[in-house]
Amino acid sequence: MIQKEVSMNIAIWIVIALVCFVLPATSLTDGGKRNPERSKLNQHAVQVGLPLPEHLMLPVAERIRRRQRGMASGGTIGIVVATLIYIIFFDNDDGAVGFLVLFVAAMGTALGGAWAIISHRPTEHIHRPVVARVRSVQFSDYLTRGERFGLWVVPATLVAGAAAGIVILLQLPEDQRSGAFVTASTVTVLALLAWAMSMYALRKVLDAPARSETDLELAWDDAERADSLRQVANLIIVVAAAALLFWLLFIGVALTTDGFYRDHEQATMVLSIVSLLVFGALFGVLSAGPLKAWLSGARRGYEQRQLWPHGVDS
């Protein structure tokens, strides 16, 4: 009976991960299984902000299919890996399966799309290949200043959050903070490792080769790269925010365990206010840039304004 409940619990979170991450990210091509419908492809072109003449329909569709196929594969592999990790290393009733499946599924989806770009080797049999750019592309050509700021401050916010969490928890008796240091610190270390791995993937996406017959086709390559870079960057920012949230949750648990807050009301109030202020400020530093880029619309078509400031001929 218990095993059946565990299986149902895992199955529910797998469905949630598919609905939240994998299916929305790959809906245009049904997980890379087919070319997009023409009406949807035209709508996608409007969202991207690039013209899509008839002769580019198939090349662009193939680019989109390839990346979304990688995203679907990465998300599925992530769900399988998360399930195996949970079954092997975690207790059946510890409630960790939800976070684990969602986190690994999101990472697999984003990194799978990046890998599809990194691993692709364009054919050399192009009649009229575009000449190389006069300069090499950088993160600043694809991600806005705010998005780059959010990405670069991830290590600093994680270290600052861990330091603040340790100092706050040290104000409590040892029996109140039992296990919190190790668990929360482990989450922080994993988030730092995820950041390092993501930065490697981002650099590889920038370095991936591209060969196109026209400037417009190359501009579509740029649009696909921008989407891939943004997905990975946003993912790692969310992971860092989740790691900070873990510290805040552990502090809350430590303050409420065995009714500690009832016997030490003043200390609980002071530590609660300090925790909310400190971690609220770190959340703000981490998310302000990406949120501003999203709310202002600055990220839409950003790579085109950077790389194709004079427009692209059809």
Side-chain angles (χ1 to χ4, degrees), residues 23-137:
L23 296 181
T26 63
S27 60
L28 191 62
T29 65
D30 191 22
K33 298 175 183 176
R34 58 181 177 81
N35 285 333
E37 296 177 7
R38 181 160 183 166
S39 59
K40 292 184 178 180
L41 192 57
N42 288 335
Q43 185 179 4
H44 178 69
V46 172
Q47 294 174 349
V48 172
L50 286 173
L52 188 57
E54 187 70 29
H55 68 277
L56 278 186
M57 285 280 188
L58 287 179
V60 169
E62 179 55 33
R63 283 167 168 78
I64 297 173
R65 276 189 62 192
R66 183 166 57 243
R67 190 165 71 89
Q68 293 200 355
R69 186 164 55 242
M71 294 165 69
S73 299
T76 303
I77 293 171
I79 290 173
V80 173
V81 170
T83 303
L84 291 175
I85 291 175
Y86 176 75
I87 293 173
I88 296 172
F89 296 104
F90 288 78
D91 294 331
N92 290 335
D93 59 349
D94 63 6
V97 64
F99 174 79
L100 183 67
V101 172
L102 292 178
F103 167 69
V104 182
M107 176 163 286
T109 302
L111 294 180
W115 178 253
I117 292 177
I118 296 168
S119 61
H120 177 63
R121 293 295 177 263
T123 178
E124 297 181 0
H125 302 295
I126 294 181
H127 300 298
R128 188 165 53 86
V130 170
V131 295
R133 299 186 192 276
V134 295
R135 62 180 178 83
S136 59
V137 292

Side-chain angles (χ1 to χ4, degrees), residues 22 112 142 196 239 298:
V22 181
Y142 293 98
V239 168

Side-chain angles (χ1 to χ4, degrees), residues 156-168 244 247-248 251 270-286:
T157 56
L158 287 173
V159 172
I166 290 172
V167 170
I168 292 171
L244 294 176
W247 279 104
L248 199 56
I251 292 170
V270 171
L271 292 176
S272 297
I273 292 174
V274 170
S275 299
L276 290 174
L277 289 175
V278 170
F279 285 95
L282 291 175
F283 279 123
V285 170
L286 190 63

